[in-house]
């Protein structure tokens, strides 16, 4: 198990500290963990409470969300691309970004479809807010997520639009995956493992969560992560889920360490 510390402890620590939400396999955080795991970069994991005030974290880094990567006294990295580039800078091997500018740009475009604002993760999160936001305003469930939903731009209209945008993203991923298969490639970008494989592996949980033996998260969270929309499922090439499973089996830390 990794070494988990509090934000207060992280303030006094050196080296790489990776801020992660505890108890849930948030895709942004799991992808960040994967980068440093594959490169065998030592780090300490800092606990963040999803949806909480996280005032000690704000006092340290100026940000309350996760993931964040902080190396020594450098400015915190919280954007997914900055975290990838930090990992590449810290440890060149194995390289997780293509040498070709064209392939590199294509890889970052595809990761953005997963991890950027309005990407797959963002849209699925809006869908997850929906059932709780539909409760009466004085219901504890509504009150629990209302603040977070507001920060991420939740509206009923945005929730209703999310499946269409997710389908468009999955269709592009499915086409890309099929082209790779036809070219005889076993990875999503080029002929070797890349950051795209790791980000897809993490974000696929928002469609089909990993089994309990690999990811022992609360069943309520597992049920919300599972996407049963038939149109969304129909847009996903089943081979992409098989690829996700292979990446976890061959490259990543299992079972997942959620800091609980």
């Amino acid at each position: 198990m990794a070494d988990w510390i509090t934000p207060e402890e992280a303030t006094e620590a050196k080296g790489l500290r990776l801020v992660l939400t505890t108890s849930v396999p948030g895709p942004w955080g799991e992808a960040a963990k994967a980068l440093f795991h594959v490169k065998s970069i030592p780090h300490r994991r800092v606990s963040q409470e999803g949806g909480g005030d996280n005032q000690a974290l704000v006092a340290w880094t100026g940000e309350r969300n996760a993931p964040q990567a902080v190396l020594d006294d450098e400015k915190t990295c919280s954007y997914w691309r900055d975290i990838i580039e930090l990992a590449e800078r810290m440890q060149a091997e194995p390289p997780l970004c293509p040498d070709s500018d064209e392939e590199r740009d294509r890889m970052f475009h595809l990761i953005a479809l997963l991890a950027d604002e309005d990407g797959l993760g963002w849209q699925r999160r809006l869908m997850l807010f929906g059932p709780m936001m539909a409760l009466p305003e004085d219901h504890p469930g509504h009150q629990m997520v209302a603040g977070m939903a507001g920060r991420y731009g939740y509206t009923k209209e945005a929730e209703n639009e999310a499946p269409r945008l997710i389908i468009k993203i999955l269709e592009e991923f499915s086409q890309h995956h099929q082209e790779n298969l036809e070219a005889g490639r076993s990875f999503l970008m080029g002929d070797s493992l890349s950051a795209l494989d790791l980000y897809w592996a993490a974000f696929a949980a928002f469609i089909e969560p990993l089994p309990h033996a690999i990811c022992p998260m609360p069943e309520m969270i597992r049920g919300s992560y599972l996407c049963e929309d038939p149109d969304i499922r129909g847009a996903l090439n089943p081979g992409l889920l098989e690829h996700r499973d292979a990446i976890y089996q061959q490259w990543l830390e299992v079972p997942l360490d959620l800091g609980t």
Side-chain angles (χ1 to χ4, degrees):
M1 298 292 284
D3 179 17
W4 286 82
I5 57 176
T6 66
E8 293 88 345
E9 292 170 326
T11 303
E12 304 299 326
K14 294 295 183 182
L16 178 64
R17 289 140 292 166
L18 189 59
V19 178
L20 300 163
T21 305
T22 58
S23 303
V24 297
W28 289 269
E30 291 304 311
K33 282 164 60 177
L35 295 168
F36 297 108
H37 176 78
V38 167
K39 288 178 172 287
S40 300
I41 297 175
H43 62 276
R44 305 181 79 180
R45 296 177 178 176
V46 184
S47 301
Q48 183 261 6
E49 180 187 356
D53 288 337
N54 295 290
Q55 293 187 7
L57 184 58
V58 175
W60 172 38
T61 68
E63 301 186 31
R64 63 170 37 86
N65 292 336
Q68 299 180 45
V70 185
L71 177 61
D72 293 326
D73 296 323
E74 294 183 9
K75 182 180 178 181
T76 184
C77 296
S78 55
Y79 182 52
W80 60 264
R81 183 162 180 166
D82 293 337
I83 295 175
I84 293 173
E85 291 175 348
L86 173 63
E88 290 286 89
R89 172 163 62 90
M90 290 185 69
Q91 175 56 261
E93 298 295 332
L96 294 176
C97 295
D99 291 330
S100 158
D101 288 342
E102 181 179 356
E103 286 198 335
R104 189 183 182 92
D105 289 346
R106 175 66 174 159
M107 184 190 79
F108 283 133
H109 163 72
L110 289 167
I111 296 176
L113 291 180
L114 300 175
D116 255 4
E117 184 172 331
D118 293 331
L120 183 144
W122 188 282
Q123 300 301 329
R124 279 293 290 138
R125 186 164 52 194
L126 294 177
M127 292 177 68
L128 265 58
F129 288 143
M132 304 293 272
M133 292 298 291
L135 297 169
E137 291 187 7
D138 60 353
H139 190 285
H142 182 104
Q143 295 174 350
M144 180 175 67
V145 303
M148 191 185 307
R151 288 199 298 273
Y152 291 115
Y154 173 86
T155 64
K156 187 61 180 176
E157 292 74 18
E159 179 195 353
N160 291 338
E161 178 70 358
R164 184 188 69 82
L165 298 174
I166 292 170
I167 288 168
K168 185 177 179 181
I169 291 168
L170 290 178
E171 286 175 343
E172 181 168 347
F173 260 82
S174 294
Q175 179 179 351
H176 178 81
H177 178 59
Q178 187 60 40
E179 291 170 355
N180 270 352
L181 292 177
E182 292 171 359
R185 294 172 177 157
S186 55
F187 295 97
L188 291 180
M189 186 56 60
D191 296 316
S192 61
L193 185 75
S194 75
L196 179 59
D197 297 292
L198 304 182
Y199 272 78
W200 168 250
F203 278 82
F206 262 163
I207 306 296
E208 181 74 40
L210 290 160
H212 180 80
I214 295 177
C215 181
M217 61 176 160
E219 287 306 309
M220 182 183 72
I221 302 296
R222 182 181 302 281
S224 66
Y225 270 38
L226 176 64
C227 182
E228 299 183 286
D229 183 304
D231 294 328
I232 292 177
R233 301 290 298 205
L236 177 64
N237 184 322
L240 281 168
L241 290 178
E242 296 172 5
H243 183 72
R244 182 273 303 270
D245 294 344
I247 294 298
Y248 269 98
Q249 291 166 7
Q250 297 175 32
W251 294 93
L252 301 183
E253 175 186 30
V254 293
L256 274 61
D257 175 13
L258 302 181
T260 55

